[in-house]
Amino acid sequence: MLALSGLLVWGAGEWAAQSELDNQWDNLRRSSEVQTLALRGVATRYSFLPFTAAQQPLVTALLKAPDSERDRAAANVYLETVNAHAGSDVLYVMDTSGRTVASSNWQSPRSFVHQNYSNRPYFSDALAGLAGRFYGVGKTTGEPGLFASAPVRDGDRVIGVVAVKIDMQPIVATWAQLRDPVFVTDALGIVFLGSVSPWLYKTTRPLAAADVQRVRNEEQYGSDWSPVAVPWTLRQQRDEPGMELALPAGGSRYLALNEALPDLGWTLTLTADSRAVALARQQAWALASLASGLLVLAALYWRLRERHLQENQRARIELEQRVQERTHALQQAQAFRQSMEDALLVGMRARDLQGRIVYVNAAMCEMVGYRADELVGQLPPYPYWHPDDLPRHWQDSEMALAGQAAPQGFESRLRHRDGRDVHTMVYTARLIDGDNRNIGWMSSVVDITAQKRAEEQQQQREAQLQRVQRVITVGEMASTLAHELNQPLAALVNYAAAARALAAQGRTDLLADSLTALSDQALRAADIVGRIRRWVRQQPQSREPCDLNVVVDQSLALLLRAEARRHGIPVQLDLAAGPLCVNADRVLLEQVVLNLGLNALQAMQGAQAAHGSAEPESPPPELLLRTRAEAGHALLEVLDRGPGLPPEIAARLFEPFFTTRAEGLGLGLNICRSIVESMGGELQASNREGGGAVFVIRLPEAPEK
């Protein structure tokens, strides 16, 4: 008995240890798949940026004329904007000698501009016409990152290189939260990324002298790097998928699994503490010892049981009687359950693990028009699946059988036997037997055909109502169109007159600029017409992320600055330091800024004409455009030093066709408010302290992409 107990205890310990070891390897494999996807995602997330920037004419122009300060400034601003929207670390351009001529961090104290990176492989690869990728410590910042590059071509000739630096530290921060070490080695076996910082830039195997010299020449891991071995050893495990990683001097031991990433030239290594295997063996020994003791107690109990056999016989007879009573009660409960199922209006369908129908209730049969004996035993595709939705039926069925059905249910269109469509909501749950095993899936099918029809009718009524409302506003849109086209048409006339005068003077250098501006205004007028037509036809607005500061600059460039100069009124800007990103129709928003600015200029011009020269104590006329962020909103304020807003005018300021000017239509401010509100914002007006008026555009601030 003792020998048998000892053999049981030893066997249980070995079985538990092997089982835990297999479980650890399985966990490592699953974790490896997840971490590999995450690592590839971070490494390739911004690989498109160099190719995109290489196509930009600003970059090509700078590389053709690298000493042009204007081209350099334009390229710096472009790279800074693209880098900010993309969220990468640094985006920069190098000429064929490796010297950086423009960079997104051109304003930073550690700017890449004028730095030379000709010794980096990603530069030489791109210069050869290939896409480059290289991980290393930055020569300028000293901070590590992944560098991706692309060539800039002028025809068949490579004239420069665009590169992006990607910060890999976010994924390292994720690894640092794991219990066991995770690290990545390059093709030479050097640890360059991992959750244990003392291991970084150490070698896992001896390096050839040529490889050491190449790493030093490329300054991949810093200018003073030298090969130092990692403080652990790896040993292949017999009949196991991975290796054992052992720290020196009786340190921890880990199971280590390598995952090669050939497309990146890296190897990802994940580890798991092997102490769990020893702990499982010890726990199994304890449980087996307890089981052996229970076997001894069971033998003693058997002898005691024999003594009480007669008493147990009487108890068994009583138990059989109770079983008969319980069986009768169960039969009654089954009959009651069947009656309830037949009375249900909700369809019930049970399937086994292979998808075979094993049960349907009367409501389900009535819903699809098939008898229970025609459905039970059927495998997918079922006869009531709608022929137009077969791919979706297959997808929903496979997800349900895999235990991934949406807990909130999903819609499914079925085809009744008589050919009509039946819209349903399907809710699926596990079918559990008495041994708590999953033996299939039970689905509740609710007929929502009447509800769907009611929703469709309601949608049709709402669509018709919206169409009627838009048709009603066509008259207002005609006035809107006339009002909005006034400014670009006036600009067209001015530019045409200027072009005629320049042509007469033979000044062809300025003539081309005037013709270009004239064409831009014509395109702007066409864009305004197109947007109003799309609005009337119920087409969605073209809303996109845009910087409110850029909108102000564009509006000044279009007309405001020229009009202010013509009226002799200075224009002041007080713009927010950083970008103010909003989701808006850029052209319509520029039109709003133009309208408000022109109104302010006309108000100040009218006040000067009415009162003659300004009084000594009155503030001089000026137009101030100010942007700022406030409580999740982006604000644009248009301030003037005009006559202000009397109470009787302020109350009717945004009414259609209300105007204080003889030549005005009274639609400008009404249209401005409608445009701002269609973008989810609001337009307000008030008197300015010290004289004048303030118009405030408030729009929800959008996150930067």
Side-chain angles (χ1 to χ4, degrees):
M1 195 64 161
L2 290 175
L4 181 61
S5 299
L7 183 62
L8 174 65
V9 170
W10 177 83
E14 292 304 311
W15 174 84
Q18 186 60 42
S19 177
E20 179 61 25
L21 185 61
D22 293 340
N23 184 55
Q24 290 283 1
W25 288 123
D26 288 340
N27 289 339
L28 282 174
R29 277 189 287 265
R30 287 192 294 269
S31 180
S32 174
E33 294 173 358
V34 173
Q35 296 299 340
T36 298
L37 288 175
L39 186 58
R40 277 200 176 96
V42 174
T44 60
R45 179 180 178 186
Y46 300 102
S47 59
F48 70 96
L49 275 181
F51 294 96
T52 302
Q55 312 304 317
Q56 174 58 236
L58 291 174
V59 174
T60 305
L62 176 60
L63 290 173
K64 289 181 178 179
D67 296 328
S68 171
E69 291 300 325
R70 185 183 66 177
D71 292 343
R72 185 190 308 276
N76 281 333
V77 172
Y78 164 75
L79 295 174
E80 182 181 27
T81 303
V82 172
N83 187 69
H85 282 285
S88 53
D89 197 1
V90 183
L91 183 63
Y92 53 103
V93 179
M94 296 166 284
D95 61 17
T96 54
S97 67
R99 182 176 63 91
T100 303
V101 296
S103 175
S104 62
N105 65 352
W106 61 281
Q107 299 188 87
S108 170
R110 295 190 292 181
S111 171
F112 284 13
V113 178
H114 303 309
Q115 300 294 328
N116 192 294
Y117 304 107
S118 59
N119 66 327
R120 293 299 177 103
Y122 67 85
F123 170 77
S124 56
D125 289 344
L127 200 61
L130 305 174
R133 183 182 286 111
F134 172 80
Y135 186 94
V137 175
K139 294 176 59 177
T140 303
T141 64
E143 297 174 355
L146 178 64
F147 300 83
S149 63
V152 181
R153 300 180 184 273
D154 182 16
D156 295 332
R157 184 170 60 95
V158 176
I159 62 172
V161 174
V162 178
V164 62
K165 182 178 180 182
I166 305 165
D167 186 9
M168 302 289 287
Q169 293 310 304
I171 195 170
V172 175
T174 303
W175 292 345
Q177 298 175 6
L178 301 178
R179 182 186 59 186
D180 301 318
V182 179
F183 57 91
V184 183
T185 56
D186 61 14
L188 298 178
I190 301 175
V191 178
F192 66 90
L193 203 64
S195 58
V196 182
S197 56
W199 296 357
L200 293 180
Y201 313 134
K202 292 183 170 56
T203 61
T204 60
R205 61 174 182 266
L207 300 181
D211 292 334
V212 173
Q213 188 60 39
R214 178 169 60 84
V215 173
R216 288 175 174 172
N217 291 340
E218 295 170 356
E219 298 181 80
Q220 184 171 6
Y221 303 118
S223 57
D224 57 347
W225 176 86
S226 60
V228 178
V230 292
W232 39 259
T233 57
L234 287 175
R235 184 178 62 184
Q236 183 66 42
Q237 294 289 292
R238 188 179 61 182
D239 299 328
E240 299 294 344
M243 298 176 289
E244 181 186 62
L245 187 151
L247 295 177
S252 301
R253 294 180 179 272
Y254 298 91
L255 302 176
L257 183 67
N258 291 334
E259 182 67 30
L261 289 80
D263 53 329
L264 299 174
W266 302 342
T267 300
L268 172 67
T269 303
L270 292 95
T271 64
D273 197 336
S274 61
R275 287 180 296 182
V277 178
L279 180 61
R281 180 184 287 111
Q282 295 171 1
Q283 291 175 344
W285 284 343
L287 292 175
S289 299
L290 179 61
S292 298
L294 292 176
L295 285 176
V296 176
L297 293 176
L300 296 175
Y301 174 75
W302 179 261
R303 296 186 62 186
L304 182 62
R305 178 179 177 276
E306 291 294 325
R307 296 177 184 177
H308 299 285
L309 185 59
Q310 293 181 351
E311 295 178 4
N312 291 341
Q313 185 69 22
R314 185 182 303 112
R316 187 166 55 253
I317 294 173
E318 294 177 355
L319 180 60
E320 290 176 354
Q321 292 176 350
R322 292 182 180 179
V323 168
Q324 292 177 356
E325 294 174 356
R326 291 290 180 90
T327 301
H328 179 71
L330 287 174
Q331 291 173 347
Q332 294 293 331
Q334 176 65 20
F336 179 73
R337 184 183 67 85
Q338 187 64 42
S339 299
M340 288 184 61
E341 291 178 358
D342 292 340
L344 280 176
L345 298 178
V346 176
M348 305 295 294
R349 178 195 64 194
R351 296 184 292 174
D352 61 16
L353 296 175
Q354 287 72 40
R356 182 179 288 103
I357 297 177
V358 296
Y359 166 78
V360 289
N361 69 343
M364 184 68 188
C365 294
E366 183 179 355
M367 195 178 299
V368 298
Y370 293 92
R371 300 190 308 274
D373 61 322
E374 293 177 314
L375 296 178
V376 173
Q378 290 276 357
L379 285 167
Y382 304 127
Y384 50 79
W385 277 6
H386 200 286
D388 296 339
D389 295 345
L390 285 180
R392 180 174 179 182
H393 283 304
W394 277 111
Q395 180 183 359
D396 293 340
S397 178
E398 290 171 358
M399 291 185 65
L401 294 178
Q404 299 176 358
Q408 68 273 18
F410 59 88
E411 288 192 23
S412 179
R413 183 173 60 159
L414 308 180
R415 175 61 62 84
H416 194 274
R417 192 169 196 169
D418 60 10
R420 58 188 171 89
D421 292 349
V422 179
H423 296 274
T424 63
M425 280 293 296
V426 182
Y427 305 88
T428 301
R430 295 180 182 272
L431 193 60
I432 307 299
D433 65 0
D435 297 327
N436 201 29
R437 295 179 304 176
N438 181 25
I439 61 172
W441 308 93
M442 175 65 76
S443 297
S444 302
V445 185
V446 182
D447 188 348
I448 60 170
T449 304
Q451 176 184 343
K452 292 289 290 186
R453 289 175 181 170
E455 290 176 356
E456 291 175 357
Q457 293 174 356
Q458 179 64 23
Q459 291 175 357
Q460 291 175 358
R461 286 194 293 268
E462 290 177 356
Q464 291 173 355
L465 180 59
Q466 292 176 1
R467 182 61 180 172
V468 169
Q469 291 174 344
R470 290 191 178 274
V471 170
I472 291 174
T473 59
V474 167
E476 183 179 347
M477 286 302 99
S479 299
T480 300
L481 185 61
H483 186 275
E484 295 300 323
L485 288 179
N486 223 4
Q487 295 162 1
L489 289 177
L492 282 173
V493 172
N494 292 335
Y495 284 127
R500 188 182 300 110
L502 292 172
Q505 298 171 8
R507 302 180 64 181
T508 57
D509 52 341
L510 298 178
L511 178 60
D513 294 339
S514 295
L515 292 177
T516 300
L518 189 147
S519 177
D520 291 342
Q521 291 300 323
L523 292 175
R524 179 176 179 82
D527 195 7
I528 293 173
V529 172
R531 290 172 186 267
I532 295 177
R533 289 179 62 188
R534 288 194 297 272
W535 188 84
V536 173
R537 292 180 179 179
Q538 296 182 317
Q539 294 180 355
Q541 287 187 3
S542 176
R543 295 175 64 178
E544 59 184 2
C546 57
D547 187 356
L548 199 56
N549 291 337
V550 176
V551 170
V552 173
D553 288 337
Q554 186 65 22
S555 300
L556 284 173
L558 286 173
L559 193 59
L560 273 182
R561 198 179 298 278
E563 283 296 310
R565 191 181 299 112
R566 188 169 65 87
H567 290 295
I569 296 176
V571 178
Q572 303 294 333
L573 291 180
D574 183 8
L575 302 183
L580 293 178
C581 190
V582 297
N583 282 325
D585 187 311
R586 181 182 54 78
V587 173
L588 293 182
L589 188 55
E590 290 175 0
Q591 199 66 20
V592 171
V593 178
L594 278 173
N595 282 339
L596 296 180
L598 291 175
N599 283 350
L601 292 174
Q602 292 170 358
M604 288 185 284
Q605 186 69 16
Q608 289 178 347
H611 301 289
S613 59
E615 298 179 2
E617 64 274 8
S618 63
E622 69 165 358
L623 175 61
L624 173 61
L625 301 177
R626 181 165 57 203
T627 61
R628 57 190 174 93
E630 179 183 282
H633 288 76
L635 273 66
L636 167 60
E637 298 176 339
V638 181
L639 304 93
D640 63 50
R641 287 300 184 184
L645 302 173
E648 64 275 8
I649 293 179
R652 304 183 59 192
L653 194 61
F654 295 102
E655 291 183 7
F657 305 108
F658 173 76
T659 180
T660 59
R661 297 197 301 270
E663 71 280 5
L665 293 176
L667 288 173
L669 291 178
N670 178 262
I671 294 171
C672 290
R673 170 173 278 188
S674 299
I675 291 174
V676 173
E677 290 178 349
S678 71
M679 299 175 188
E682 58 181 354
L683 174 62
Q684 298 175 337
S686 61
N687 284 311
R688 181 181 181 183
E689 184 178 352
V694 181
F695 285 81
V696 181
I697 299 173
R698 181 187 300 268
L699 292 169
E701 191 170 3
E704 294 189 36
K705 297 293 184 66

